[in-house]
Each structure stands twice: as structure tokens, then as C-alpha cells.
């Protein structure tokens, strides 16, 4: 679920970046600029969030809570 939200967040940032960066971007391709800019921080955040979620859900305390519901 968190990975899906991160991908959707990236898509929103990517599209809004195209709209905003089109005003002042000096690159030939505003699509590439938005992809590089947003990908530079969104991809590491996606990886770290996914790893943290996987570690969290492997904890015995969390497994016990998930099994009660």
C-alpha cells in the first residue's frame, strides 16, 4: 500500500513539475527535467519507505496486532 501511494505521489509531482517547470526550464525537454528532479528524491524515499515497512511488519509485536484484527 505504501509503495502504491509513493508511486502515485511521484506521478502527481511529475505532472505538476512539467506544468511548473515549463515556465522557466532551460532544458529542451521539460519532461526529462521533471523526471530527473522528482526522481532524485522520490526514488530513494520509495526504497527507504518500502524497506522500513518490510522491517516493521516483520516485528513480532506488529504481527501480534495484525493477527488480532
Amino acid at each position: 500500500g505504501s509503495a502504491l501511494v509513493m508511486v502515485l505521489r511521484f506521478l502527481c509531482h511529475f505532472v505538476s513539475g512539467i506544468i511548473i517547470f515549463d515556465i522557466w526550464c532551460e532544458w529542451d525537454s521539460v519532461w526529462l527535467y521533471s523526471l530527473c528532479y522528482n526522481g532524485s528524491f522520490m526514488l530513494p524515499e520509495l526504497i527507504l519507505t518500502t524497506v522500513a515497512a518490510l522491517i516493521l511488519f516483520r516485528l513480532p509485536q506488529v504481527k501480534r496486532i495484525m493477527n488480532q484484527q
Side-chain angles (χ1 to χ4, degrees):
S2 62
L4 175 63
V5 169
M6 297 293 291
V7 170
L8 292 174
R9 182 176 165 217
F10 169 76
L11 290 174
C12 290
H13 282 249
F14 177 68
V15 170
S16 65
I18 291 170
I19 295 167
I20 300 294
F21 295 142
D22 190 37
I23 296 170
W24 57 270
C25 180
E26 296 176 2
W27 286 26
D28 292 335
S29 174
V30 71
W31 294 80
L32 181 61
Y33 186 82
S34 181
L35 179 69
C36 291
Y37 179 79
N38 291 306
S40 69
F41 68 90
M42 291 296 296
L43 182 61
E45 186 177 351
L46 170 66
I47 293 168
L48 289 173
T49 302
T50 303
V51 168
L54 290 174
I55 291 171
L56 181 66
F57 283 117
R58 291 186 183 267
L59 293 175
Q61 298 89 344
V62 176
K63 285 183 180 180
R64 187 174 40 226
I65 292 171
M66 295 298 285
N67 288 335
Q68 289 176 356
Q69 296 179 355

